């Protein structure tokens, strides 16, 4: 028997053993299938965020990996304060909110303005100062800036191609999680998941 044929038979036997032993598959799948997928998603989004920052589309004190964690936490339903805590500093909540709005990750609260939005839009192009506009609307200049950022982000399209890539990554994550869940129905599917995860570790 040649060495190549012997190796093939060993691999086939190993694969057969994996598919026939679900007790080993379960814990391995839990480690690679869940934690690794989450880390991979964050890394992929961080690369997109680095491109965005390098292009100078917006400035923030947050690093690419922090922006990636922000995106994932937003999709998980976390509020700005909770996201800031995940980033290690609750004081970053306003920084988180500004970056989130810039990336068009809006919340319903972003549009709950205590005045008519058209009025604000008209005032912003009227030539009046931010102080004058804030006084007329009965809000602080800092609050006015936050609402202005929301309106600007809504119409700004220069980052759309990058944001679309981020949405694609998140949709792929959801699909991957769905497929991973379905794969638990049979041992063959589980063994395939493990094999792919281990290849990712190697590369």
């Amino acid at each position: 028997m040649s060495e190549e044929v012997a190796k093939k038979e060993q691999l086939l036997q190993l694969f057969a053993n994996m598919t026939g032993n679900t007790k080993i598959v379960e814990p391995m799948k839990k480690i690679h299938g869940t934690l690794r997928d989450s880390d991979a998603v964050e890394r992929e989004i961080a690369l997109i965020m680095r491109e965005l920052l390098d292009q100078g589309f917006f400035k923030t004190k947050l690093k690419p990996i922090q922006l990636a964690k922000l995106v994932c936490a937003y999709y998980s339903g976390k509020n700005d304060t909770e996201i800031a805590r995940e980033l290690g500093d609750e004081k970053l909540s306003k920084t988180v909110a500004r970056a989130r709005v810039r990336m068009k990750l809006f919340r319903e609260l972003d549009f709950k303005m205590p005045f008519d939005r058209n009025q604000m839009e008209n005032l912003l192009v009227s030539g009046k100062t931010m102080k004058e506009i804030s006084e007329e609307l009965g809000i602080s200049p800092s609050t006015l800036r936050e609402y202005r950022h929301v309106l600007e982000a809504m119409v700004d399209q220069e980052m759309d191609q990058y944001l679309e890539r981020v949405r694609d990554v998140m949709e792929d994550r959801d699909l991957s999680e769905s497929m991973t869940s379905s794969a638990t129905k049979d041992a063959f599917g589980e063994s395939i998941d493990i094999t792919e995860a281990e290849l990712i570790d190697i590369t």
Side-chain angles (χ1 to χ4, degrees), residues 31-200:
I31 294 174
H32 294 286
T34 303
L35 299 181
R36 290 297 183 182
D37 285 354
S38 176
D39 290 343
V41 167
E42 285 187 1
R43 285 195 298 271
E44 190 168 354
I45 294 177
L47 290 174
I48 300 173
M49 292 298 107
R50 180 179 295 172
E51 287 185 56
L52 264 177
L53 296 177
D54 288 346
Q55 291 295 323
F57 286 130
F58 78 109
K59 294 182 179 180
T60 177
K61 66 173 68 173
L62 300 178
K63 298 177 181 179
I65 189 61
Q66 290 178 306
L67 290 171
K69 290 180 181 297
L70 186 163
V71 171
C72 292
Y74 168 84
Y75 276 93
S76 296
K78 302 284 180 66
N79 62 40
D80 295 336
T81 301
E82 291 171 331
I83 294 173
R85 288 196 194 108
E86 285 199 4
L87 298 183
D89 188 355
E90 189 172 310
K91 294 179 181 179
L92 287 173
S93 59
K94 288 188 176 180
T95 301
V96 166
R98 284 192 290 270
R100 173 181 59 75
V101 166
R102 190 69 182 91
M103 294 186 289
K104 299 187 178 183
L105 301 175
F106 300 118
R107 303 187 191 281
E108 185 178 349
L109 190 61
D110 295 329
F111 302 98
K112 287 188 175 180
M113 305 174 183
F115 47 77
D116 181 69
R117 198 171 89 186
N118 290 329
Q119 180 188 6
M120 175 182 168
E121 292 174 341
N122 291 332
L123 287 170
L124 287 173
V125 297
S126 67
K128 294 185 177 183
T129 66
M130 294 294 285
K131 186 175 185 298
E132 291 172 333
I133 296 173
S134 63
E135 288 176 350
E136 186 164 341
L137 294 175
I139 58 176
S140 68
S142 61
T143 300
L144 175 61
R145 282 193 293 272
E146 298 303 327
Y147 286 131
R148 187 191 66 183
H149 290 155
V150 171
L151 296 180
E152 290 174 345
M154 288 174 63
V155 299
D156 187 3
Q157 298 180 347
E158 64 180 358
M159 288 170 38
D160 283 3
Q161 59 175 316
Y162 297 95
L163 301 180
E164 184 63 33
R165 286 165 58 191
V166 171
R167 284 190 289 270
D168 287 343
V169 172
M170 296 306 296
E171 288 175 3
D172 287 346
R173 180 202 66 166
D174 294 340
L175 179 60
S176 176
E177 289 178 352
S178 176
M179 292 177 65
T180 299
S181 177
S182 297
T184 61
K185 294 179 180 179
D186 61 87
F188 181 80
E190 290 174 343
S191 63
I192 293 296
D193 288 346
I194 291 174
T195 304
E196 292 177 347
E198 290 178 339
L199 287 174
I200 292 172

